[in-house]
Amino acid sequence: QVQLVQSGAEVKKPGASVKVSCKASGYTFTGYYMHWVRQAPGQGLEWMGIINPIGGSTNYAPKFQGRVTMTRDTSTSTVYMELSSLRSEDTAVYYCVRTRGAYDSLEDYWGQGTLVTVSS
Amino acid sequence: DIQMTQSPSSLSASVGDRVTITCRASQGIRNDLGWYQQKPGKAPKRLIYVASSLQSGVPSRFSGSGSGTEFTLTVSSLQPEDFATYYCLQHNSYPYSFGQGTKLEIK
């Protein structure tokens, strides 16, 4: 069965970076794009960007451009999302979610979410 | 960037009621819109894709309609398990964008 398993919760200080992983299983890793979506406590959903597992090309939301880096490791079927220069507003649950095509609707296979807390 | 304006932001209704949630796109997005339901502490669950197609396993009381800039999600007869937060998502162009959410509460 399809599974997206994310790394555990993180606590970071302002200005630091965080790298969240998402390990895929149960399907052909290179057959699906991966997106990252975040949700601050009590707030709505926010799309961060997408990575193509073939070649690793990316498209980031302008809000995160310059601070976010999405990468993948095809040998382990894992994608990574690194966010730098963290501030308190980046405290959120971060989800990975797949799509079949580059412009498809987000499917029903989401990671379990990773809580990143930014606090001094 | 495409802005999605979702209304209402909250809605109080009773079991058995019919409710409608609306999303408006700031520019035409054809039918590139999905609807998601989220319960506290859980990842969103897709209900509708390409504006009007029902996700497999989702009860038929959920339906979606619209094209271009105006879209609706309708629940024909609310059940207790439907009280949750609902979001629309446009996937016509990058950056994808969500509506602000509609919190559906029990009256």
Side-chain angles (χ1 to χ4, degrees), chain B residues 3 11 18-19 28 38 43-44 48 54 56 62 65 79-80 94 99 101:
Chain B
Q3 313 302 318
L11 182 54
R18 178 186 180 92
V19 298
Q38 189 180 31
I48 301 287
L54 189 67
S56 175
F62 291 93
S65 65
Q79 298 303 300
Y94 298 141

Side-chain angles (χ1 to χ4, degrees), chain A residues 33 35 37 39 43-47 50 59-62 95 99 101-108 110-112, chain B residues 1 33-34 36 38 41-46 48-50 55 87 89 91-100:
Chain A
Y33 294 75
H35 302 245
V37 171
Q39 186 169 37
Q43 302 301 308
L45 300 165
E46 185 171 33
W47 184 84
I50 179 177
N59 193 303
Y60 303 137
Y95 294 102
T99 60
Y103 288 90
D104 285 353
S105 175
L106 303 180
E107 292 186 6
D108 249 2
W110 295 60
Q112 82 276 19
Chain B
D1 298 0
L33 183 112
Y36 295 79
Q38 189 180 31
K42 300 291 188 183
K45 170 186 172 182
R46 189 169 69 176
I48 301 287
Y49 60 100
V50 293
Q55 176 75 24
Y87 295 92
L89 167 71
H91 55 95
N92 177 264
S93 64
Y94 298 141
Y96 283 14
S97 45
F98 289 92
Q100 302 94 319

Side-chain angles (χ1 to χ4, degrees), chain A residues 51-97:
Chain A
I51 183 167
N52 182 347
I54 300 174
S57 61
T58 55
N59 193 303
Y60 303 137
K63 175 175 179 176
F64 301 102
Q65 194 79 38
R67 283 208 303 143
V68 70
T69 304
M70 297 178 189
T71 55
R72 93 285 185 233
D73 182 343
T74 55
S75 68
T76 59
S77 299
T78 302
V79 296
Y80 300 90
M81 186 284 299
E82 184 170 20
L83 190 61
S84 62
S85 303
L86 289 170
R87 35 214 190 224
S88 58
E89 311 89 88
D90 294 317
T91 294
V93 175
Y94 290 76
Y95 294 102
C96 57
V97 52

